[in-house]
Amino acid sequence: MMYALYLSAYHERKFWFSNRQELEREITFQGDSAIYYSYYKDMLKAPSFERGVYELTHNNKTVSLKTINAVQQMSLYPELIASVLYQATGSNEIIEPVYFYIGIVFGLQGIYVTALFVTSWLMSGTWLAGMLTVAWFIINRVDTTRIEYSIPLRENWALPYFACQVAALTGYLKSNLNSYGELKNINEDIKSDYKGQQWFCYLLMSASTYTFMMMWEYSHYLLFLQAISLFLLDSFSLEQSEKVHEVYKIYIFSLFLGYLLQFENSALLVSPLLSFVIALMLAKCLQLNVKKGTFVAKIMKVINFYLVCTLTVTLNIIMKMFVPHKENGHMLKFLEVKFGLNMTKNFTMNWLLCQESLQAPSQEFFLRLTQSSLLPFYILVLITCFLSMIQVIFRRINGKSLKETITLEDGQIGERPEIIYHVIHTILLGSLAMIIEGVKYLWTPYVCMLAAFGVCSPELWMTLFKWLRLRTVHPVLLALILSMAVPTIIGLSLWKEFFPRLMTELMELQEFYDPDTVELMTWIKRQAPVAAVFAGSPQLMGVIKLCTGWMVTSLPLYNDDDLLKRNENIYQIYSKRSAEDIYKILTSYKANYLIVEDAICNEVGTVRGCRVKDLLDIANGHVVCEEGDKITYSKHGRFCHEVKINYSPYVNYFTRVYWNRSYFVYKINTVISFQS
């Protein structure tokens, strides 16, 4: 609750939100966030919930010449739920829609940090680890969440549920009868408690997995990484196979239920997660009749990796052959170019490569984590747990069984299955984060959790002391002392250094000032015909759709090949193309008005070759690089510059009807005069 209130207070101070008019509030939603919130507004305006859902699933009032199922394509289930809650709870008489909407998201962020708190507590056995996790999460929130920049993002709705799923999975893997000693020494009360814990964790895991999958279209990729972690955990017999395969059943159930309730979303059927889980099930069937501990069983373990990988690829190819689906070809091409396997002049691919979130993380990212002491302790904990895990694996390969009862004196933190799962999972996420900076928002929260668990865990310190063969001081006593002293010292240092900064942020009144955009939206609502269609940059089109409700030619969404092609075509207004070419492009989408943004036309980019106009010149062949020099040639000037001069042939096609410091609006003429 404190974190949710902190976010709400910070958002108010940053945008001066309560003192703004509705139009100014809506302008704070930028890009795709504006689209999501606009559909929430549409649901509230609908005469009934059923009618609102129908209009969204058969939407022809957003993008010109295109009818889309907005609920499926944009994963609008959060907006559907928020609109129902807003009206069903009678909140429309108490609170404005925008406050209710952002309040839900901030509340989910509170659940997010609570789930991380619980996970760290479960692993370490002390609430101190949970407090340290939350402290690191908030201090490093620039790298742990994007809630400050874009509230309605799908990941802000989905990741809290994934954190709950991870917490439930941690408890599910940790709950083990062996931790209580011999089965014969366990009384019925303990068995009953154990079964209750298992059922609670299993049900919470099932519900959160399905909800996570419904909230975010890319959720199955993150669950795929989790499935790989569990597969590696199971392969080395570090946990009962039955438990891991119960989790696989949750995946299958969630995928098929999601497929049915997401309008038969074929992307879930051809996802690598489904193919991988089915391959694991088939591989298990081949091992069922093999007696454990035999030479044949060991051979099966060796070939199990190859078998699962082969089956996964084969099944995925077969599924794609027989299941009709929209192939995300642009994603595959992006990965090819990203890893240097291919070269391209394609505007969309190069534009994606230039996005900061899709580049490798900067040095500032690692510097920030180091300044908060998070990265050094994470590395210490990760190395210790990983080496201990390797020790356990080698013992298993040599035929040694795990101890039925793990004590602190053993100093073997790598024998705990929930620890091994988190180590593998954080390594997989970290590897991706080193390549794509956007993945850091998935990885860094679990860095906070793992580091806090480690420094608060006596087992980790005991494992280190056992390796160092500490003799002078009783290692168990020292481990207990350090597990309390180290996090306390870290907490005090963080409090002294960062708490004043957090309070300063809440006290400092910032202001979001964008009068040009406000003037543009006001002009559109007052002067433009209701049936008008606007063309311009996708980011601006999202704001126009939210603030005015007018139809647009493109949207800032990158999961649809047709929309990506539209974006590239509309961006040609910033290229060196003729007035006739631009006119033909715009009229092919039935556009009535064109908006030229001065910020894009006169952009001064910090990254060489990443300005929109540079990428367009490369894609159109207007710039050729020879021996390190750029040769520019085109018989036409840059359209966004030339159209402002108001001379023929530009005035024949476009008539300027409004302008301010940032935007120039042109009416696209329906009758053309081809005078010279």
Side-chain angles (χ1 to χ4, degrees), residues 139 493-505:
I139 290 169
S493 64
L494 294 178
W495 177 278
K496 181 179 179 180
E497 183 175 356
F498 292 98
F499 183 75
R501 299 185 190 179
L502 296 177
M503 292 299 101
T504 302
E505 290 176 352

Side-chain angles (χ1 to χ4, degrees), residues 236-267:
F236 297 113
S237 298
L238 297 173
E239 176 59 10
Q240 301 171 2
S241 294
E242 290 74 12
K243 278 189 177 182
V244 174
H245 282 270
E246 287 297 323
V247 181
Y248 296 157
K249 293 177 183 178
I250 293 176
Y251 293 151
I252 293 179
F253 172 78
S254 299
L255 283 168
F256 281 109
L257 188 60
Y259 168 76
L260 295 175
L261 296 183
Q262 290 184 13
F263 306 93
E264 298 183 356
N265 185 5
S266 57

Side-chain angles (χ1 to χ4, degrees), residues 212-401:
F212 174 57
M213 197 170 290
M214 292 291 289
M215 293 291 176
W216 195 23
E217 60 182 316
Y218 299 118
S219 58
H220 56 88
Y221 292 111
L222 187 54
L223 292 174
F224 175 61
L225 292 179
Q226 187 182 72
I228 294 176
S229 304
L230 292 172
F231 165 62
L232 295 175
L233 179 64
D234 181 34
S235 296
F236 297 113
S237 298
L238 297 173
E239 176 59 10
Q240 301 171 2
S241 294
E242 290 74 12
K243 278 189 177 182
V244 174
H245 282 270
E246 287 297 323
V247 181
Y248 296 157
K249 293 177 183 178
I250 293 176
Y251 293 151
I252 293 179
F253 172 78
S254 299
L255 283 168
F256 281 109
L257 188 60
Y259 168 76
L260 295 175
L261 296 183
Q262 290 184 13
F263 306 93
E264 298 183 356
N265 185 5
S266 57
L268 296 179
L269 295 184
V270 298
S271 67
L273 174 63
L274 181 61
S275 302
F276 184 66
V277 172
I278 295 176
L280 289 168
M281 295 291 190
L282 293 175
K284 182 186 178 183
C285 293
L286 296 177
Q287 293 179 303
L288 280 179
N289 297 324
V290 179
K291 187 176 180 181
K292 295 182 179 180
T294 62
F295 177 76
V296 177
K298 293 181 179 180
I299 294 298
M300 288 299 293
K301 283 288 184 182
V302 174
I303 66 173
N304 195 46
F305 287 99
Y306 174 79
L307 182 64
V308 170
C309 293
T310 304
L311 284 173
T312 300
V313 174
T314 304
L315 288 171
N316 196 253
I317 293 174
I318 294 174
M319 294 291 283
K320 289 182 177 180
M321 289 174 57
F322 292 98
V323 177
H325 67 286
K326 291 184 179 180
E327 185 69 55
N328 290 327
H330 62 281
M331 290 183 62
L332 297 176
K333 292 177 182 177
F334 167 77
L335 292 175
E336 288 179 0
V337 177
K338 176 69 176 178
F339 294 111
L341 302 177
N342 199 355
M343 296 288 290
T344 182
K345 293 183 178 180
N346 182 268
F347 168 80
T348 301
M349 291 300 104
N350 288 325
W351 185 84
L352 289 173
L353 286 171
C354 284
Q355 299 306 298
E356 184 179 352
S357 61
L358 296 177
Q359 296 178 0
S362 61
Q363 293 182 355
E364 288 75 13
F365 166 61
F366 299 103
L367 182 61
R368 287 192 297 268
L369 297 189
T370 303
Q371 288 175 339
S372 64
S373 72
L374 174 59
L375 190 59
F377 283 107
Y378 167 73
I379 294 174
L380 171 66
V381 173
L382 181 65
I383 291 175
T384 304
C385 293
F386 181 76
L387 293 179
S388 181
M389 179 186 74
I390 296 299
Q391 282 185 332
V392 174
I393 291 173
F394 275 107
R395 284 208 302 271
R396 294 294 298 171
I397 292 175
N398 293 331
K400 297 180 181 179
S401 60

